[in-house]
């Protein structure tokens, strides 16, 4: 048995929990320990994602910036159309000089469309050219239901995605250290001390009294079409489980629905799910008899624990182990020989399957051999004696014939 924590390998299982009622129309929750979906609601439905778009904008920008302290001077093209579109801005000005680091935090933390445009135009020369890089990246990541037309997330024909595509994007983006640094920041002060920007999630949560201390990072989004949107990761410290949640299309009449949905989801899974031991370390998982061995049986023990992510209604006594393989151990077998395999079954479902091996060679016992075969040995011995007697008698008859 390999020294690993073993997870489901046969199926991608989603746990749609009836008790979990969200305001958001679209949702997907991943257990990041396994990168498995554990809850979903319309995860592949095409939808607007508003400023969740900036997750891609940020990742592409990070991959194309070599010097975070490089200066960028803002021109009028950065601001064209933003006021007319009622886009959220952080208050940058024409002619202002800032660093790439300033812009990346201004874009992500405070969701500033002005910072977003500035960084895209500075890197690629135009927003359109930068969008080409975004779509190329989406293809590379396998985001099959995603298309970008701008960098900000403002509504546009042909700009769309799904919550699952956003989850795929965020999961990949978090592998980048700089992205993780930006994603998990709570605030940032510009290099020229002109302003400090704050996490939009933290601001909303604080204002409405939500405890989001366990949420490690997030990106919010909002348009009338996309509704309230949120992409976040959270850490269940007690059970050592990290989650990733993406939601869209929460109603817009309340400014906190997306945050409430995240709190509801995370708290539910923190309280009701964890990894349970299907098999404990050193637990005897199989006992096999021996043939002519100095010991009459061999216990096969688990070298490590086997865990599985399950509801807390789990009962270990309901776990069943189904063995297929050798039914008896002979003295011809060697240590490490494969004996067979065991299926781990819970609630009539095979959750895992692993091979078992002979832990030690069984030594041959002449005493056990004789004891187990005493009848055969006795019959054989009597037969042998009879044959000898018959041979002796036969020889005597031949001698008598020769004398005559």
């Amino acid at each position: 048995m390999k020294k690993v924590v073993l997870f489901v390998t046969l199926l991608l299982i989603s746990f749609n929990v009836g008790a979990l009622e969200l305001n958001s129309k679209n949702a997907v929750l991943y257990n990041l320990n396994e990168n498995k979906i554990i809850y979903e609601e319309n995860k592949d439905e095409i939808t607007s994602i508003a400023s969740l778009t900036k997750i891609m904008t940020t990742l592409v920008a990070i991959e194309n910036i070599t010097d975070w302290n490089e200066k960028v001077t803002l021109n009028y093209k950065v601001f064209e159309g933003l006021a007319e579109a009622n886009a959220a801005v952080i208050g940058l000005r024409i002619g202002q000089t800032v660093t790439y680091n300033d812009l990346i935090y201004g874009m992500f933390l405070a969701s500033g469309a002005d910072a977003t445009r500035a960084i895209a135009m500075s890197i690629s020369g135009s927003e359109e050219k930068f969008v080409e890089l975004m779509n190329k990246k989406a293809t590379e990541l396998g985001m099959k239901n995603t298309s970008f037309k701008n960098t900000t997330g403002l509504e546009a024909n042909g700009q769309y995605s799904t919550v699952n595509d956003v989850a795929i994007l965020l999961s990949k983006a978090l592998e980048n250290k700089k992205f993780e640094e930006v994603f998990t920041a709570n605030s940032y002060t510009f290099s020229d001390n002109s302003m400090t920007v704050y996490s939009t999630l933290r601001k909303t949560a604080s204002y409405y009294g939500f405890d989001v201390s366990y949420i490690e990072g997030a990106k919010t989004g909002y348009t009338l079409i996309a509704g309230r949107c949120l992409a976040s990761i959270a850490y269940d410290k007690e059970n050592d489980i990290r989650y990733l949640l993406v939601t869209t299309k929460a109603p817009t009449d309340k400014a906190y629905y997306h945050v409430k949905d995240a709190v509801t989801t995370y708290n539910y899974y923190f309280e009701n799910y964890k990894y349970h031991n299907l098999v404990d370390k050193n637990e005897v998982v199989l006992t096999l008899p021996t043939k002519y061995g100095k010991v009459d049986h061999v216990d096969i023990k688990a070298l490590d624990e086997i865990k599985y992510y399950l509801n807390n209604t789990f009962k270990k006594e309901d776990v069943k182990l189904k063995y297929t393989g050798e039914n008896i151990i002979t003295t011809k077998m060697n240590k490490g020989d494969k004996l067979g395999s065991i299926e781990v079954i819970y609630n009539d479902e095979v959750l895992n399957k692993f091979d078992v091996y002979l832990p030690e060679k069984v030594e041959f016992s002449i005493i056990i051999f004789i004891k187990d075969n005493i009848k055969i040995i006795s019959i054989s011995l009597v037969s042998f004696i009879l044959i000898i007697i018959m041979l002796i008698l036969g020889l005597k008859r031949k001698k008598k014939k020769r004398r005559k």
Side-chain angles (χ1 to χ4, degrees), residues 1 279-287 298-304 342 354-359:
M1 189 186 305
V279 177
D280 294 319
K281 185 177 180 180
N282 293 322
E283 178 182 342
V284 175
V285 294
L286 177 67
T287 299
V298 173
D299 290 334
I300 313 297
K301 297 181 180 181
L303 298 180
D304 214 337
I342 292 178
F354 60 93
D355 294 332
V356 290
Y357 303 88
L358 184 62

Side-chain angles (χ1 to χ4, degrees), residues 59 72 92 146 237 392 402:
L59 178 60
V72 177
L92 296 174
T146 297
K237 185 177 181 180
I392 291 171
R402 289 174 185 172

